[in-house]
Amino acid sequence: MLRTSLVFAALGVSTVAMADAPLPDRQMALTHMVRQECGSCHGMSLQGGLGPSLLPAALAEKSLEGLTATIYAGRPGTAMPPWQRFLNEAEAQWIVEQLMKGFPE
Amino acid sequence: MKTPLFIRRLILAMAACTLVACTTMSPRGTGDLALIIERTSGHVTLASTTSAQPYARIGGLGDLSHASAVYSRDGRYAYVFGRDGGLSKIDMLTGTLVKRVIQSGNAIGGSISQDGRLVVVQNYTPGGIKAFDAETLELLSNVPASYGDGQFSKVVGLADAPGNKFAYALFDAGEIRVTDFSDPRQPVTSRYPAGNQPYDGLVTPDGRHFLAGLFGEDGIALLDLWQPEKGSRKILENYGRGEAKLPVFKMPHLRGWSVAQGKAYLPAIGRHEVLVVDVATWREVGRIPVRGQPVFVMARPDGRQVWVNFAFPDYGMVDVIDTLSGQVAHRIEPGKGILHMEFTPRGEQVWMSARDDHKILIYNTETVAPIGEIKADAPSGIFFSSRAHRIGF
C-alpha cells in the first residue's frame, strides 16, 4: 500500500482519488443501495426527483471531494442525510466515481 | 374496405381474453381488484383480493420507481403515474394497456377528479400539474407551479377535493395551491403559504381539510377547504422541541388513510414517533414511539388499528398501533424492504410489498399473522380498486 502510494505520489496523482475500490460483493451491495435507497429521492434511474439528478452530465462541474463529503456527511439545510452509518469515505468516493462515469445497473 | 369499428373492438377483446387466459371468464365486478407496481422492471401485476391470486401482468410501463395509481369511478381503469412522466391507462378487466402517454420529464403521482372525468398529474420537471381527459388522455390544461422570479417548484401532495378541485403543495416555494378545474380548460388557482419544504399532502376523508407535511421545519400546514378565505395555518408547531433531528433516509407519505376515530396519525420528521392530532381542534393529543422513521402511517378502514412502516434501514419492521390504548400492540418483521401497505376495503387483510423478498405478503389484521403471498418482481406500491370511491385519492 505504501509503495502504491509512493508510486501515485511520484506520478502526481492524489492517493485519495485512487483509494482501493470496494470488493466485488460490496460493490454489488453499494450499487443496490444507490439504485434503491438513494433512488427514493433521486430516482431509480438517477435522473432526479425530490433530490437532484445524479447523471454524469449533472455532476460534470462538481468536485469529487465535495460530492463524497455530501454522501458521507449529508448536507445540512437540505433533505440529504449523512450515510456514514452505512459506508466509509472510500466507499462514498467509489459511488461518486461510478456516478460520474455512468452508474452500473 | 375498413373493418367496422365494433368488429375491430371484438377482435381486440378476444385477443386480450387469450392473453389473460379467460376461457372461463364470466362477467365480473371490479370492487376487489389490485394493481401491484413492480418498480425495477416496468411491470404491473393485477390480482384479485378475493382469490388472492394474480390474473395478469403488463410490461413496458417505463420507470416505475415511486409509481402510483388511481382508479376510474367504475373501478375498471387504473391510471398509473410513472417516475419518467409516463401516464398509462390500464383496463383491469381485460388486463391490457389501453393507452400510454409521456406527459412530462419527471412525475411523482396524480389524482382523479370528483366526477371522474379528469386525471391530474403532479410533476417535478417541469414543476406543475397537468389535467388530462380520463377517457382519451388528451391534455386539457397545464398549470405551471411558477413562483418567485420565473422559477418552477416541484409539486408534492396532490389530492382531489370536492368541486373538481385539487390541492397540492410546492416543495421549493413553500406554498399550498388549490386549482379549480370546474372548467377544465380554464383552471383557476389560489395560493396559500405553507412553510419550509412541504414534502407531501393529504385531503381528509370528508374532503374538508388539506394538510401539507413540512420537512424543513417542525409542523404541518393546514387549509380548511370549506373556508379557504380564512387562509392556511400551522399545526403541531415545534413538535421536535428544538431537539436535533435524526437523519431521514426516505420521505414519509401522507394520504387520507391517516385519519381514524376523529384523530389524525401523522409521521414525525426526524423522530421515531407517530404524532396524534384531534381533527376537531387540530391540537396534538399524543405521540406514540415507534421503531424507526415512519413512512406510511395507515389506519385500518375501521380505525381500530394503525399500521406503520419505516424508512431504510428499518424497513424490515412494521409496528401496529391499537388506537384504543394508543400504544403499539404488535411489532412484526414481515420481510425485507417493506415499502407499502394496502388494506382490503373492510380491513380484514393487509397486503404488504416486500421489495427484496420479491413478494406481496398478505396478513390477517386481527391475528397479525401471514395468510398468503403473491410473487412480484421488486414490488413497491399496491393499489386496490376500492380507492375508486374515496375522496382525496
Side-chain angles (χ1 to χ4, degrees), chain B residues 39-268:
Chain B
R39 69 197 299 273
T40 54
S41 64
H43 280 75
V44 295
T45 283
L46 310 185
S48 157
T49 62
T50 301
S51 68
Q53 294 293 325
Y55 65 88
R57 188 163 186 257
I58 303 164
L61 301 184
D63 180 355
L64 293 186
S65 60
H66 207 289
S68 61
V70 299
Y71 284 91
S72 61
R73 58 193 274 130
D74 61 2
R76 176 162 182 179
Y77 299 101
Y79 301 89
V80 178
F81 308 101
R83 169 75 93 172
D84 55 6
L87 167 59
S88 306
K89 181 177 180 179
I90 286 169
D91 186 332
M92 297 295 289
L93 287 181
T94 61
T96 53
L97 176 64
V98 179
K99 189 157 188 187
R100 175 172 159 78
V101 296
I102 301 292
Q103 57 81 35
S104 81
N106 197 323
I108 198 65
S111 192
I112 189 162
S113 63
Q114 183 179 39
D115 66 5
R117 292 173 190 274
L118 299 176
V119 173
V120 177
V121 190
Q122 58 182 337
N123 288 316
Y124 280 166
T125 317
I129 63 172
K130 286 183 179 176
F132 295 85
D133 183 310
E135 178 75 31
T136 62
L137 301 190
E138 178 200 355
L139 177 66
L140 298 177
S141 50
N142 179 14
V143 184
S146 51
Y147 73 103
D149 192 15
Q151 292 153 284
F152 297 93
S153 173
K154 299 182 185 97
V155 173
V156 298
L158 179 77
D160 70 283
N164 274 12
K165 291 177 182 159
F166 290 81
Y168 50 102
L170 273 49
F171 178 78
D172 308 293
E175 279 184 32
I176 293 171
R177 292 193 183 177
V178 179
T179 301
D180 183 338
F181 286 95
S182 300
D183 179 351
R185 292 185 187 274
Q186 300 290 332
V188 178
T189 300
S190 313
R191 304 166 61 159
Y192 310 88
N196 195 7
Q197 293 175 324
Y199 65 87
D200 202 358
L202 70 87
V203 163
T204 50
D206 58 10
R208 177 167 177 180
H209 293 97
F210 179 73
L211 274 65
L214 302 175
F215 181 83
E217 63 181 288
D218 289 340
I220 287 174
L222 172 74
L223 179 67
D224 183 346
L225 298 168
W226 287 6
Q227 308 175 84
E229 67 281 1
K230 290 192 170 176
S232 55
R233 65 186 170 106
K234 231 167 264 176
I235 61 168
L236 288 172
E237 270 187 287
N238 196 30
Y239 65 76
R241 306 182 185 110
E243 292 167 22
K245 281 184 180 173
L246 298 166
V248 178
F249 295 106
K250 181 177 177 162
M251 285 288 177
H253 287 253
L254 303 176
R255 204 95 304 211
W257 56 59
S258 298
V259 181
Q261 300 290 305
K263 293 174 185 147
Y265 293 79
L266 300 165

Side-chain angles (χ1 to χ4, degrees), chain A residues 32-33 35-37 39-45 47-52 77-83 85-86, chain B residues 39-40 63-66 83-84 105-106 124 154 156 171 197 199 215 247-251 312-315 355-356:
Chain A
H32 185 263
M33 188 170 90
R35 290 270 170 205
Q36 301 298 329
E37 315 312 341
S40 69
C41 277
H42 296 281
M44 199 174 57
S45 60
Q47 64 165 340
L50 207 57
T78 75
M80 179 67 179
W83 293 81
R85 259 175 76 193
F86 311 106
Chain B
R39 69 197 299 273
T40 54
D63 180 355
L64 293 186
S65 60
H66 207 289
R83 169 75 93 172
D84 55 6
N106 197 323
Y124 280 166
K154 299 182 185 97
V156 298
F171 178 78
Q197 293 175 324
Y199 65 87
F215 181 83
V248 178
F249 295 106
K250 181 177 177 162
M251 285 288 177
F312 174 85
D314 300 314
Y315 57 14
R355 184 192 69 200
D356 295 345

Side-chain angles (χ1 to χ4, degrees), chain B residues 304-324:
Chain B
R304 178 64 199 268
Q305 298 175 339
V306 171
W307 289 53
V308 185
N309 78 333
F310 304 110
F312 174 85
D314 300 314
Y315 57 14
M317 303 187 286
V318 170
D319 283 358
V320 183
I321 294 166
D322 173 15
T323 55
L324 203 54

Side-chain angles (χ1 to χ4, degrees), chain A residues 83-95:
Chain A
W83 293 81
Q84 54 190 261
R85 259 175 76 193
F86 311 106
L87 42 66
N88 59 39
E89 283 182 275
E91 291 170 338
Q93 185 182 312
W94 179 83
I95 289 171

